[in-house]
Each structure stands twice: as structure tokens, then as C-alpha cells.
Amino acid sequence: MQKASFLPFFFIVPALFVICLTMLLPILLITASSFFDVSIDLNYRFIGIENFIKMFYDTKFLQSLINSVIFVGGSIAGHCIFGLLLAIALMSSVKFREIYRGIALIPWFLCDIMIGVCFIILFTQFGVVNAVLYSLLKTRINWLLSPEWAIWIVTLANIWKATSLYMCIDSSGLASIPKEIIESAELDGAVSLSKYRYVILPLIKPFVLLSLIVSAVGTFNYFGLILVMTRGGPLGSTTVPAFYMYKQTLEYFQIGYASAIGVFIFIVNMVIIALLRRAGAGLI
Amino acid sequence: MLFINSLTGSFNIFSVGLHTFSLERYFVAIQGSGYAYINSLLVAGAAIGINLVVCSLAGYALARFRFFGRSFFMYFIWLTYAMPLISAFVGIFLLFKFLNLLNNLFALALVCAAMSTPVNTWMAIGYFNTIPKEIEEAALVDGCNVLQIIFQITLPLSAPVLISMATYTFFMSWNEFIIASILITRKELFTYPLALLYVSTSQIAYGGGIVYSIVAAGSVIGTLPVIVIVLFFRKYLVLGFAGGGYKIV
């Protein structure tokens, strides 16, 4: 490696500038403005931690926390499990692997609006799913307008959208396992199920952990599908904290309050990452 | 399930409770939002341009030099990847409002570039690590300075990862509509997803609400560039993801 004194810093500076502008500065601004009561034309007055106190007494916010447990938990489970299954399934069939991978990657590249509209059309009162349900059970459920089911549909849409990303992560993990290990396990008499359980799964734990972290934090921060599909949902049942923040900013114009929620989301992100890394370090 | 879901998007232009086959909805969608196609392309193009330069420089520095704070930078980049701060959009809104850059397409391109910078830098580092250093050392012996080495030797050799970065940035900026909906409020500057929403919510004839069939028609149009690019550059995308070195946990 070459040892130059300041040149690499010059190379890094543009990337750092871009990242800091759109990540660090907004975080600082949010933290600052969460202590103020900011209106839409940037008039502010200092109110201390009143925003945070208001946050913890707000029933809608507390409900959004519960919703986020379902949304994020379900998404994590779906992403990691299905991503792993897809990666393992694609590992064996070498012939059409590239084509399958290309097709599997498509949902992730679709716009949020498209996916939202797709799922809305599938799950409306007279949509496909209800048609099947009616022929089997003689009932129709209005999925997206019922407070119990809406959150699950949104979770399903999120799982469908992003699973391919985690499949890619797990695929690269599976590809990094040297073939000799698998062959020696087979020589020692490992049948397919125990082969997976005792050899492959432990070896890809870092990648599964990475999937967990990325999925958890990414889903917690994400509200695009909710915005398109239910806009907060029937009786606030699909509101997650990030979407509640969006609503506060653009509908109620309570930028200070929204900033407080943003600070909360940021802290939860860091806690999630720290916890998962701690748990993962114990496992690896 | 993947097949069915991706096909219903196209089928719904034909019949959603109205049972009429017609391409009329396509025309309505194009009429209402065609101009936004160009806006989206501009934003995506600018974001790709920024990202290619910025990320390959940063990737080169992180892959080839050993300097104080290198591991900190790499961890920082990993952190910004693992923690997508889309929910910091209020901060972005405040920042750009304060800088008076609200209805500026270039500002949007900058934000879109920034969102894909971590992954792109990662891809670049992974790829540059596979280029043998002997080539660059030979060039150094022949008297090139660092910039010449980068632009005349390393980058021409990195065509695959440059294509990966370009396609990834393209997707990130084409599909990004949350940040776009905050930063851009003037109708003629809408990007494609925003214009689509606007067109479909302004169809008063259907009694308000979102007219799903028009959105579906427009979505099919909007997906076309994505599908084209995915078909042609599939190999590079997977290469970018797999070679990016996901072992940094």
C-alpha cells in the first residue's frame, strides 16, 4: 500500500461531504429543533422537553409503537426466513440460477407506489384474494379497511418487496462457504437436513445477522408502503412512528413534535443495532 | 407468488370493476405525467454522475491507502448503510428549506446520490481490492502520479463495478418518492412517481380518491426502464452485491 500523507483525505472528502449533508446535518437539525416549537415558515420558540413529554402521553404515538412491533417483527421474520430459504433453494439449481435471481430481484426494484397499488388491488373487497376466500369459506374480508388485518397486509407487502435483497446477502454468504467443508460433511454421512443444520447454517450466521440488522433498522425507518397503501390505516392501525412523523410534518405542521419523534426513532435505531450486534457477537 | 403479483400490476389496467379493455388509461397517464419522466431521468442521471465520481474516489482511497482513521471511515460507511435515515426527512426538509433549495432538482439528485453512496463505496472497495496492485505499481514506477493512475488505469479496468454502481444509483433515485415528495412541491418539477400520484388523485370524474387503474397504467410505464435495465445488467447487479464484501459485521 502506498503511504501518502494527505491525499487519501482529499479523496474521501467528497463522499464524506455528501453523507454528512444528508445524514449528519439532518440528525443535528432534528435534535436541535425537537426542543423548539417550530412552525412551517421556520419561526421557532424554545419549549424545552415539552415535545418529548407530549410524545409519551400521546395515545396515537403509543399505538404506533405497538403497530411497529407487528410491522417490524413480522417483516424481520419474513425477510430473514424467506431470504434464507430462497438463497438455499437457489444454491442447488445451477442451471437457471441467474434467471431466477433476476426475477427474484424484481420486487425490490419496483416503485413503492406500484407495489402498494398491486397489493391494494389484490386485497380489495372484490379482489382476487377475496374471490378465493369466498369460494372456500363463503366470506369476504375487507382487508385494508379493517383495523385488525390492515397491518398484516402491509407487513406482507414489505416482506414481498425486500426479501430479494436479503436473498442476495445470504447468497453471497453461501457462496463464501468453501466446497470442501460441505463435501467432507457429506463424506462423513450428513444427510441433507442435518447438513444444513450443523454445517451450513452456523457458517452463514454473520450474514443472517447482517440481514437481521439491516431488516430491523430499515423497516423501522420505512413508511413508503404505508403511505401508499393505507395512509395510516383505519383508526390508526397501520401508523408506525416514522409515518406518524410524516403526518405531523406535512399535515399538522408540528415540525418540533415531529423532530422529537425523529430523535426517538434515531435512538431506537442505535439501540437496535447495538443490541443485535451484542447478541450476534455472542453467537459468532 | 412473485409471478402473479408482478403480473397483476399489468392486468389491472384492463379491468378493475369496470371490465373494459382499453389502452385509454395509458394515454391518460402519459398525458398527465409524461413530462415528469424527463425530470426523473435528469435526477437519476445527475445522481449517477455524482455517485460515480465521489464513490470511486472514496473507494480507491479506502482500498489502496492506509491512513489514520481508515477503519473509522469504513465503519462509518457501514453504519450509514445499516441505518437508512429516511426518517430524518424532517431534517432534510429543514436543511434544504433553510438553504432555499427546496424546489431544486439538483438538490434532490444530491440526496438520492447520498442515499446510495454507502453501498456504492462498498462495491468500489470490494472491486478495487481485486485489481492487482502490481499494475498500479508499475505505472508508479513509470512516473504517473496518483490521479493519472486512477483515471487511466484503475477506472478503465473497473467497468463492471461502475456499471453496478450506476444501476444501483439509478434504481435508488428512480423509485425514491418520499424524499421527492418533501423536497419538490411545484407541479412541473415533479418526478415520475409524484406526477403519477398527482394525476390519479386529480381525476374528479371518478369521485375522488386514487383511481387505481390509471396509477397501474402509469406504473407499468414507469417500470419499463427498470425492467429493461434489470434484464440487461442483471449480471452486474449481482456482482456488485456479492463482491461488496458483506463480511464486515
Side-chain angles (χ1 to χ4, degrees):
Chain A
M1 290 208 178
Q2 300 150 326
K3 282 196 98 166
S5 49
F6 290 116
L7 195 57
F9 287 108
F10 286 131
F11 287 172
I12 296 254
V13 157
L16 269 191
F17 170 73
V18 160
I19 294 183
C20 285
L21 189 72
T22 51
M23 304 257 184
L24 277 189
L25 269 186
I27 291 285
L28 292 175
L29 278 176
I30 284 188
T31 321
S33 66
S34 62
F35 296 112
F36 291 81
D37 177 27
V38 189
S39 70
I40 193 67
D41 47 350
L42 300 188
N43 292 328
Y44 51 89
R45 73 187 167 89
F46 185 73
I47 54 173
I49 59 172
E50 194 179 304
N51 275 328
F52 291 98
I53 299 178
K54 188 161 88 164
M55 200 166 76
F56 286 115
Y57 278 112
D58 191 358
T59 50
K60 288 196 208 150
F61 179 72
L62 296 174
Q63 187 190 12
S64 74
L65 282 182
I66 301 178
N67 291 334
S68 76
V69 169
I70 301 180
F71 184 54
V72 177
S75 294
I76 294 180
H79 283 157
C80 294
I81 296 178
F82 285 124
L84 194 56
L85 286 179
L86 273 178
I88 293 181
L90 286 183
M91 180 174 73
S92 23
S93 72
V94 187
K95 234 202 307 185
F96 298 111
R97 188 162 51 181
E98 288 302 313
I99 303 180
Y100 284 147
R101 253 198 206 150
I103 295 178
L105 271 177
I106 286 182
W108 186 58
F109 295 134
L110 293 178
C111 188
D112 302 339
I113 298 184
M114 279 171 240
I115 302 177
V117 168
C118 221
F119 273 82
I120 289 176
I121 292 174
L122 275 183
F123 283 96
T124 54
Q125 185 78 345
F126 300 106
V128 173
V129 174
N130 269 334
V132 170
L133 209 62
Y134 190 72
S135 59
L136 288 180
L137 294 174
K138 292 292 181 205
T139 52
R140 283 201 171 98
I141 305 181
N142 199 345
W143 299 93
L144 284 172
L145 287 181
S146 66
E148 307 92 42
W149 289 109
I151 185 77
W152 295 104
I153 305 298
V154 176
T155 309
L156 187 66
N158 196 22
I159 293 177
W160 186 75
K161 171 183 172 174
T163 297
S164 48
L165 174 63
Y166 304 104
M167 180 203 77
C168 277
I169 297 181
D170 292 330
S171 282
S172 66
L174 284 173
S176 74
I177 300 178
K179 274 220 173 303
E180 296 84 30
I181 296 187
I182 303 180
E183 284 169 6
S184 62
E186 280 173 1
L187 276 179
D188 282 338
V191 204
S192 66
L193 195 61
S194 55
K195 178 173 74 171
Y196 287 120
R197 216 174 118 202
Y198 293 113
V199 178
I200 295 185
L201 281 187
L203 282 175
I204 55 170
K205 271 214 178 91
F207 296 90
V208 177
L209 182 66
L210 180 67
S211 301
L212 270 178
I213 295 180
V214 173
S215 171
V217 178
T219 313
F220 192 66
N221 277 333
Y222 179 69
F223 61 92
L225 277 176
I226 298 178
L227 179 63
V228 175
M229 284 170 74
T230 56
R231 285 214 133 239
L235 303 177
S237 66
T238 56
T239 308
V240 289
F243 184 76
Y244 193 54
M245 190 173 152
Y246 178 84
K247 229 162 86 153
Q248 289 291 332
T249 314
L250 290 184
E251 285 181 29
Y252 302 125
F253 298 119
Q254 302 273 340
I255 297 189
Y257 188 42
S259 304
I261 302 178
V263 172
F264 176 78
I265 291 179
F266 179 66
I267 294 180
V268 171
N269 282 344
M270 310 215 30
V271 166
I272 291 180
I273 290 188
L275 279 180
L276 283 176
R277 288 200 73 166
R278 197 68 53 91
L283 281 176
I284 292 179
Chain B
M1 189 175 94
L2 293 172
F3 280 120
I4 299 177
N5 280 339
S6 56
L7 285 177
T8 43
S10 347
F11 285 146
N12 286 305
I13 53 166
F14 295 128
S15 59
V16 182
L18 287 179
H19 301 290
T20 51
F21 281 76
S22 77
L23 291 179
E24 179 198 325
R25 297 191 184 87
Y26 271 118
F27 292 134
V28 175
I30 295 181
Q31 212 177 358
S33 55
Y35 66 95
Y37 228 68
I38 304 181
N39 287 337
S40 279
L41 279 177
L42 284 177
V43 170
I48 291 178
I50 297 176
N51 246 344
L52 283 185
V53 173
V54 166
C55 295
S56 30
L57 280 182
Y60 186 80
L62 285 173
R64 286 287 186 244
F65 297 107
R66 188 162 270 160
F67 53 94
F68 173 75
R70 173 172 174 260
S71 52
F72 169 73
F73 286 145
M74 293 195 69
Y75 184 74
F76 184 65
I77 291 178
W78 179 85
L79 199 65
T80 41
Y81 166 69
M83 204 153 72
L85 292 172
I86 293 193
S87 55
F89 65 86
V90 179
I92 293 182
F93 176 69
L94 284 176
L95 178 69
F96 283 97
K97 195 170 167 78
F98 180 68
L99 291 175
N100 235 346
L101 278 179
L102 259 194
N103 269 310
N104 196 337
L105 280 181
F106 186 72
L108 179 63
L110 194 64
V111 177
C112 291
M115 278 181 349
S116 43
T117 294
V119 176
N120 282 341
T121 312
W122 218 349
M123 283 193 219
I125 295 177
Y127 194 79
F128 289 151
N129 275 331
T130 64
I131 298 183
K133 289 196 220 76
E134 286 74 27
I135 301 180
E136 297 170 13
E137 285 170 3
L140 201 63
V141 166
D142 281 340
C144 287
N145 58 15
V146 181
L147 278 180
Q148 275 178 318
I149 296 181
I150 294 181
F151 285 110
Q152 291 178 1
I153 298 182
T154 315
L155 281 189
L157 282 179
S158 328
V161 81
L162 288 181
I163 298 180
S164 296
M165 284 165 43
T167 46
Y168 183 77
T169 313
F170 180 78
F171 289 132
M172 285 290 114
S173 55
W174 187 268
N175 291 334
E176 176 56 45
F177 87 99
I178 298 180
I179 302 284
S181 76
I182 292 173
L183 286 182
I184 299 207
T185 46
R186 274 206 303 195
K187 208 184 76 160
E188 59 267 12
L189 285 180
F190 275 170
T191 59
Y192 191 70
L194 296 180
L196 202 57
L197 267 182
Y198 180 76
V199 162
S200 57
T201 49
S202 66
Q203 294 291 321
I204 313 177
Y206 291 103
I210 301 182
V211 187
Y212 293 119
S213 40
I214 298 185
V215 177
S219 309
V220 171
I221 305 174
T223 325
L224 283 179
V226 176
I227 291 185
V228 161
I229 294 188
V230 167
L231 279 180
F232 281 126
F233 294 116
R234 198 175 53 226
K235 187 174 71 151
Y236 295 109
L237 282 166
V238 181
L239 166 80
F241 274 119
Y246 274 87
K247 302 188 183 104
I248 316 176
V249 176

